[in-house]
Amino acid sequence: MNLALALDDLLGHPDLARVVEDARTHTEAAGYGWLLDQAGAATQHTQRILAAIAAEGGGDLLPVTFTQHPDWVRLGLLDSLATWITGQSSTCLHGPDPMRPQPVVAAAWKPGLIVCTACVRLLSLRKGSPKDRTCDGCGTVVPDTGDIWANATSYGEFVYRFGVCDGCRYWPVPAAA
Ligand SMILES: [Zn+2]
Ligand SMILES: [Zn+2]
């Protein structure tokens, strides 16, 4: 079974509280217990990182729960996470390792690359380049970088960034400052 889909099943389950205990037992048996523990422990640090990303983009942290993101975001994050913890990702020079918990960042537009928070620039795209103007949701290339809505979500210590066109934006426009 694909690990990303297994995790998504867990996170999207309507009866999460009851299921977590059961899932924890299975997850620990499968060697991923640390993931559940760290998901809780790293949340505050990760929230600060998300706030910094939002501030950098002139936006706000939105109260969107993980299951409210569309499938392509949740599965994209979980697939990226699964690729990392099974040792198939490229990383920054610091070699962030899932067995040494720390916040890490991935981006929808650079699949297979995981960086530490000091190396987030490695995820940058050349400003105004076609990739910089491509919607991660539908693949549309918009005329201007300013037409892309940047967002990030996280699962535990794992931050996942993406950008969408107006048509794919699924959160309210932040109030003008
Ligand atoms: Zn690094
Ligand atoms: Zn789109």
Side-chain angles (χ1 to χ4, degrees):
M1 189 186 203
N2 180 303
L3 177 62
L5 290 171
L7 285 168
D8 190 58
D9 269 358
L10 167 65
L11 294 166
H13 200 284
D15 202 7
L16 189 60
R18 188 177 60 74
V19 169
V20 160
E21 202 49 46
D22 210 34
R24 177 176 286 273
T25 309
H26 293 302
T27 307
E28 280 169 357
Y32 292 113
W34 58 269
L35 182 63
L36 294 178
D37 294 339
Q38 289 306 322
T43 297
Q44 279 203 339
H45 192 171
T46 305
Q47 285 302 309
R48 285 201 298 276
I49 292 165
L50 287 175
I53 290 171
E56 166 201 313
D60 292 306
L61 272 186
L62 298 167
V64 178
T65 64
F66 193 75
T67 53
Q68 287 175 306
H69 293 289
D71 282 353
W72 69 265
V73 172
R74 287 184 294 137
L75 294 176
L77 182 156
L78 294 171
D79 189 55
S80 181
L81 175 62
T83 303
W84 180 48
I85 63 183
T86 53
Q88 299 170 67
S89 299
S90 305
T91 66
C92 64
L93 277 178
H94 305 104
D97 184 327
M99 300 309 281
R100 289 195 315 270
Q102 69 178 113
V104 294
V105 186
W109 57 82
K110 288 222 176 159
L113 177 63
I114 308 295
V115 302
C116 76
T117 54
C119 295
V120 171
R121 69 184 181 285
L122 294 178
L123 297 172
S124 298
L125 296 169
R126 194 161 54 78
K127 202 79 178 162
S129 63
K131 271 202 147 187
D132 192 41
R133 290 182 284 113
T134 301
C135 171
D136 293 315
C138 67
T140 298
V141 181
V142 300
D144 189 88
T145 301
D147 298 329
I148 290 287
W149 295 86
N151 201 345
T153 185
S154 64
Y155 176 61
E157 65 187 349
F158 196 90
V159 176
Y160 187 68
R161 303 186 69 168
F162 52 94
V164 300
C165 71
D166 216 29
C168 290
R169 180 173 47 81
Y170 54 93
W171 59 92
V173 178

